[in-house]
Amino acid sequence: METSSNHEETQKSGWRKFLPYIGPGFLVSLAYLDPGNMETDLQAGANHGYELLWLVLIGLIFALIIQSLAANLGVTTGKHLSEVCEVEYPLFVKYCLWLLAEVAVIAADIPEVIGTAFALNILFNIPLWAGVLLTGFSTLLLLSLQRFGVRKLELLITILVFVMAGCFFAEMSYVNPPVSGVLKGNVCAQTGW
């Protein structure tokens, strides 16, 4: 009887260990759902049909590999990449890496802010300057949610991801793309591979 209850305890603790990772997983999933990626994919699809789907698939595979390597680093060392860099590199290299990271973040965020401002302009006829200010304000508002605990922020992001997924599947059911075209676009042989 005791072994049965111990097994149940182990199973519960296994789920309890797993559940805290769901929120961060949804936070990471935003990298694939951001407006810049979606807009680029949709525009490429509008111009080239299904011919470039293989490129999206290859990019997704490489991103999964990089995330797997980052997870392995975290599991084996107990530190994330910036902490490992801090320990391993000299001061000059650390400052260079920090500056490069800041430039990369700025370069990645500018199109997102401008894209959101254009989307607000198209949807609600809000001037671009006001759209940029609203985007910045919404970012600060989301960051301020961390005061109430990171789990609340994770819950909000999870809800937003499900809303985006629902909208995407609703659009896909409306468009109803041909399965043969989608499969043909994912074949790398079409591009000479």
Side-chain angles (χ1 to χ4, degrees):
M1 202 67 172
E2 278 186 38
T3 57
S4 166
S5 66
N6 285 343
H7 180 66
E8 288 177 17
E9 291 277 327
T10 307
Q11 230 178 3
K12 285 182 183 178
S13 67
W15 276 106
R16 287 187 184 143
K17 288 180 184 176
F18 173 71
L19 289 176
Y21 295 102
I22 292 177
F26 277 104
L27 289 176
V28 170
S29 73
L30 284 179
Y32 299 101
L33 296 173
D34 68 52
N37 284 348
M38 297 282 283
E39 194 277 330
T40 303
D41 294 341
L42 291 172
Q43 190 61 44
N47 290 339
H48 302 285
Y50 303 107
E51 294 173 4
L52 296 179
L53 272 178
W54 69 272
L55 191 63
V56 174
L57 180 64
I58 297 293
L60 177 68
I61 290 170
F62 279 114
L64 289 173
I65 291 170
I66 291 170
Q67 286 181 356
S68 173
L69 290 172
N72 286 336
L73 177 72
V75 167
T76 55
T77 65
K79 299 176 180 177
H80 52 73
L81 184 59
S82 62
E83 290 174 328
V84 173
C85 290
E86 181 182 0
V87 171
E88 294 293 325
Y89 292 121
L91 190 63
F92 175 73
V93 175
K94 286 190 269 190
Y95 279 118
C96 288
L97 289 173
W98 173 67
L99 286 173
L100 287 172
E102 291 293 334
V103 168
V105 167
I106 291 168
D109 285 345
I110 287 174
E112 304 300 334
V113 171
I114 293 172
T116 304
F118 275 114
L120 291 172
N121 180 269
I122 290 168
L123 291 172
F124 305 113
N125 205 21
I126 294 174
L128 292 178
W129 64 269
V132 169
L133 291 177
L134 277 172
T135 304
F137 176 73
S138 68
T139 303
L140 293 175
L141 186 65
L142 280 173
L143 288 174
S144 69
L145 284 178
Q146 288 184 353
R147 285 186 313 172
F148 303 109
V150 74
R151 296 290 179 216
K152 304 267 191 312
L153 178 64
E154 290 171 354
L155 179 65
L156 176 66
I157 296 298
T158 302
I159 291 169
L160 292 175
V161 167
F162 277 114
V163 168
M164 289 173 66
C167 292
F168 176 76
F169 285 116
E171 258 185 62
M172 290 304 286
S173 67
Y174 176 74
V175 172
N176 198 14
V179 176
S180 62
V182 172
L183 292 177
K184 185 179 174 187
N186 272 321
V187 174
C188 295
Q190 182 181 4
T191 62
W193 283 28

